[in-house]
Amino acid sequence: MDAEAVSVVVAGLGVSGAAAARALARRGERVTVLEAVDGERQRAAAADLDALGVEVRFGEPALPEGVSLVVTSPGWRPTHPLLVAAEKAGAEVIGEVELAWRLRGEHAAPWLALTGTNGKTTAVRMLASILSAAGHRALAVGNVGVPIVEAVDGPYDVLAVELSSFQLHWSSSLAPLAGAVLNVAPDHIDWHGSMEEYAAAKARVFTAAGTVVFNADDAWSSRLAEPYASRVGFTLAVPRPGQLGIVEDLLVDRAFVADPASSAEELASLEDVRPFAPHNVSNALAAAALARAHGVPPEAVRRGLREFTPDPHRIAHVATVGDVDYVDDSKATNPHAAAASLAAYPSIVWIAGGQLKGADVNDLVRQAAPRLRGAVLLGADRELIRRALARHAANVPVVDVPGQDTGVMDRVVAEAARLASPGDTVLLAPAGASLDMYAGYGARGEAFAAAVHRLAAP
């Protein structure tokens, strides 16, 4: 930031916006926050900022005169009138992540950053666990919940940074010690405008990274990494030199070793990855690669993965009832995530539905068809999934559960239990968002778990 105070607008009074306003005010900048929603939470946040000399304006946002910098909330589209006006006025538009990068102190902790369509939060928490196991003061920040701008001057040795495509779109100068792209599949196309623009936003984590970590099993991730010489791949296959991968039941490093052509380091075993599923092993390999780029020893990778506690609603085993496993993967809110979850089990009664946000589920259903023993559909776009099942899995029995009342999940679980046989997995992997029926994917997963427990009750 300039030595002389500048006039800054913070667009939006959410978690990241309030954190950005506080950080700027403490550095002596003249800060105005623009917030369209005039609610109780927003008024409380405004009162806290007023004590720091930050003005909050409620109502339809309009750009004040003399503004040189706009810090936008990550969800605001580039076509928002305020951001368009800022660009026309010659004001720079950045996000909270870019602001945090610029505000780092001279001895700031290095960043190990990752992005991807799915698996980001799991991978970044695995990474933080591995770093802590190595004795580093580490914190998971960014899209995971803790604003980065609040951590850049904290007492940390290294930051594990989760970045969304929105955050990366508004970032231009990030230079993490290492950056990873876990995977790229169609998502948020309505915001970015095209798959190519969405992928280009993800690729910004690579632009100035010291080490580029990519998924060798993912076409887009591999393509985005091609221009970089300092790239390290991870794969669920036997690793080549310069990669991390799987040899029998071991996670193995052939990149961060003295002679990748002829030697390898054992990092962990498949049993150390929890919850176990192929896509979660991939997350573990990505986290291990980022940690190894920071010099973490192999034994810390194993210990960190063992000590890692998964977040709720990510392929979480709820109960076994009548020799049928019930698994909550409510976080599978798009087809790519649902496909990874479905690939983890051999015989499935699938609970699916919700808001598909324009996503195509035909490939998902075609690939999963051999594993499906039944399907129970709920939510706004269940008809689209039903059509895909009729097209690609015509022999699979399908139950449609209409309605949006609180008892829907009980009916869904009861129908799934009726379709299931001993040895099957009843899997909630909706492939769609949850806001048609629930406050979020967490509430949907909790409703599923509660219905399973009622089913199991004597």
Side-chain angles (χ1 to χ4, degrees):
M1 306 297 294
D2 295 335
E4 187 175 331
V6 297
S7 180
V8 183
V9 159
V10 174
L13 194 50
V15 173
S16 65
R22 286 192 295 270
L24 288 162
R26 287 166 181 157
R27 285 164 172 79
E29 313 299 348
R30 300 190 302 274
V31 184
T32 303
V33 177
L34 305 181
E35 173 56 56
V37 179
D38 189 352
E40 185 177 344
R41 182 193 65 77
Q42 289 80 8
R43 284 287 172 179
D48 290 340
L49 291 173
D50 182 65
L52 295 173
V54 175
E55 178 187 3
V56 178
R57 300 181 186 178
F58 290 99
E60 192 62 33
L63 187 72
E65 292 187 5
V67 171
S68 57
L69 179 68
V70 174
V71 181
T72 180
S73 294
W76 285 37
R77 300 187 186 192
T79 55
H80 191 288
L82 177 75
L83 305 184
V84 172
E87 291 190 358
K88 286 184 179 178
E92 185 181 15
V93 180
I94 65 172
E96 178 257 337
V97 173
E98 176 69 17
L99 176 67
W101 182 259
R102 297 184 186 186
L103 293 182
R104 292 170 306 125
E106 183 181 355
H107 302 292
W111 293 16
L112 300 173
L114 63 85
T115 189
T117 301
N118 295 302
K120 295 186 295 296
T121 297
T122 296
V124 83
R125 291 203 186 281
M126 285 178 167
L127 173 59
S129 182
I130 293 169
L131 293 167
S132 296
H136 296 297
R137 294 172 298 172
L139 183 69
V141 296
N143 197 50
V144 74
V146 178
I148 307 177
V149 76
E150 292 184 346
V152 287
D153 289 332
Y156 305 108
D157 302 318
V158 57
L159 296 178
V161 183
E162 176 189 337
L163 297 173
S164 71
S165 61
F166 306 147
Q167 290 170 317
L168 284 163
H169 176 88
W170 297 116
S171 301
S172 58
S173 66
L174 306 186
L177 178 69
V181 174
L182 305 180
N183 47 65
V184 183
D187 202 13
H188 304 304
I189 305 303
D190 54 346
W191 196 97
H192 290 281
S194 69
M195 182 63 189
E196 288 70 25
E197 286 299 317
Y198 172 61
K202 295 291 190 188
R204 290 193 173 199
V205 78
F206 285 162
T207 304
T211 300
V212 165
V213 176
F214 71 98
N215 186 346
D217 300 331
D218 183 90
W220 268 106
S221 181
S222 299
R223 189 183 314 169
L224 297 177
E226 282 178 3
Y228 302 94
S230 58
R231 62 182 183 271
V232 170
F234 60 93
T235 175
L236 295 178
V238 174
R240 299 175 179 176
Q243 294 183 337
L244 282 71
I246 306 299
V247 178
E248 298 180 347
D249 64 342
L250 300 177
L251 281 65
V252 170
D253 176 4
R254 293 191 68 189
F256 301 97
V257 292
D259 184 4
S262 62
S263 64
E265 287 263 22
E266 176 185 331
L267 301 177
S269 72
L270 294 178
E271 290 183 353
D272 296 320
V273 179
R274 295 177 303 109
F276 178 80
H279 65 287
N280 220 31
V281 175
S282 186
N283 292 334
L285 288 166
L290 290 168
R292 294 285 280 162
H294 189 56
V296 166
E299 57 271 19
V301 174
R302 184 188 302 273
R303 189 164 62 253
L305 291 176
R306 285 179 175 174
E307 294 173 354
F308 166 69
T309 301
D311 281 2
H313 313 300
R314 292 163 169 83
I315 52 174
H317 182 267
V318 174
T320 300
V321 184
D323 291 326
V324 173
D325 290 330
Y326 290 77
V327 175
D328 167 16
D329 197 16
S330 184
K331 185 61 173 68
T333 56
N334 57 56
H336 185 265
S341 190
L342 287 162
Y345 304 96
S347 183
I348 301 165
V349 176
W350 181 30
I351 298 175
Q355 299 162 303
L356 295 179
K357 301 174 291 184
D360 188 337
V361 293
N362 281 284
D363 286 344
L364 166 66
V365 172
R366 185 186 301 111
Q367 293 168 11
R371 300 170 178 266
L372 299 181
R373 301 297 173 260
V376 184
L377 308 180
L378 77 164
D381 290 333
R382 63 187 186 278
E383 175 61 19
L384 297 177
I385 302 176
R386 188 197 65 76
R387 292 177 194 169
L389 285 161
R391 208 173 284 125
H392 305 294
N395 295 328
V396 173
V398 178
V399 179
D400 185 289
V401 181
Q404 295 186 341
D405 58 278
T406 55
V408 165
M409 192 61 82
D410 283 283
R411 299 198 297 274
V412 165
V413 169
E415 292 291 352
R418 184 178 61 81
L419 293 174
S421 300
D424 288 346
T425 298
V426 172
L427 175 64
L428 174 67
S434 57
L435 298 180
D436 55 333
M437 296 177 64
Y438 299 97
Y441 72 83
R444 178 171 59 188
E446 288 164 8
F448 171 73
V452 170
H453 291 310
R454 284 190 289 270
L455 176 74

